[in-house]
Amino acid sequence: MLCTYPAAAQDVSPYAKGAVELGWSYFNKGDMDTALKRFNQALILDPDFAPAYFGIAYVYSVQNKLDHAIQNYRKSIEKDPTFSHSYSNLGLALLYSGKPKEAFPNLKKALDIDSKNGDAHVNIALYYFAAGDYSSSWRHIHLAQKYMANVNPNFLSDLKEKLPEPPRDGGD
């Protein structure tokens, strides 16, 4: 779930901010090694810059290096406990690491911070799917779609196999 920090949260060193922006640019081009170098450069410039830890964690998530991702999402949260996506992505990394009991509170915290975080709704839908609670999974998929999040079509197919899509509740 790719996202970057909002501009207001980046009111720090313009050099660290620039390095993170370059990191995302390289990430979007598929150059993970250079992206990591830029995110790490941002930490050299400002060791407290949460968006750099988030970027590092995101690259590690994509590379399926989940222990490193978890460590850096936690560091991102330590430096900025207000960014919903850090909790959401940490929850997903914990879920994929076989730690659902640790995952759930982070996914819930992401939604407590920002109930309109569509990516967090996708991630909590994945949690509920893994737990066999397909109705809750559908509820969060519908919320994710409402908030314009991308939902993997393969996941939707898997969910439909377990439980046909229920009608949408207009009250969400």
Side-chain angles (χ1 to χ4, degrees):
M1 311 292 132
L2 177 61
C3 83
T4 56
Y5 269 73
Q10 296 181 11
D11 188 24
V12 294
S13 163
Y15 299 110
K17 181 181 173 190
V20 165
E21 289 171 357
L22 273 174
W24 286 116
S25 175
Y26 283 107
F27 177 91
N28 290 331
K29 293 175 188 172
D31 185 348
M32 301 298 146
D33 291 336
T34 305
L36 273 176
K37 288 177 186 174
R38 294 301 146 241
F39 294 135
N40 280 304
Q41 178 186 31
L43 291 179
I44 291 168
L45 296 165
D46 184 349
D48 293 325
F49 196 42
Y53 289 106
F54 181 85
I56 291 166
Y58 198 90
V59 169
Y60 284 138
S61 291
V62 168
Q63 294 175 331
N64 205 32
K65 297 177 180 177
L66 297 178
D67 289 340
H68 293 302
I70 290 166
Q71 175 185 359
N72 282 281
Y73 284 130
R74 286 188 170 141
K75 195 72 171 175
S76 174
I77 289 167
E78 174 189 319
K79 300 298 181 182
D80 179 6
T82 67
F83 190 53
S84 173
H85 290 277
S86 292
Y87 291 96
S88 175
N89 288 11
L90 172 59
L92 186 62
L94 288 164
L95 180 64
Y96 286 163
S97 293
K99 301 172 185 170
K101 288 181 182 177
E102 288 182 61
F104 187 77
N106 287 286
L107 295 166
K108 186 176 176 333
K109 179 72 174 180
L111 292 175
D112 289 345
I113 292 170
D114 180 5
S115 64
K116 295 179 180 179
N117 178 340
D119 292 336
H121 283 288
V122 171
N123 292 347
I124 205 162
L126 289 163
Y127 168 85
Y128 282 123
F129 181 86
D133 184 347
Y134 307 120
S135 294
S136 293
S137 189
W138 272 118
R139 186 169 50 86
H140 284 281
I141 287 298
H142 290 158
L143 287 167
Q145 291 168 332
K146 175 181 177 181
Y147 299 124
M148 309 306 286
N150 290 323
V151 181
N152 184 317
N154 294 329
F155 174 60
L156 287 177
S157 294
D158 291 345
L159 184 53
K160 285 176 185 176
E161 281 185 28
K162 298 293 185 181
L163 178 70
E165 184 171 2
R168 293 177 188 249
D169 179 6
D172 285 87

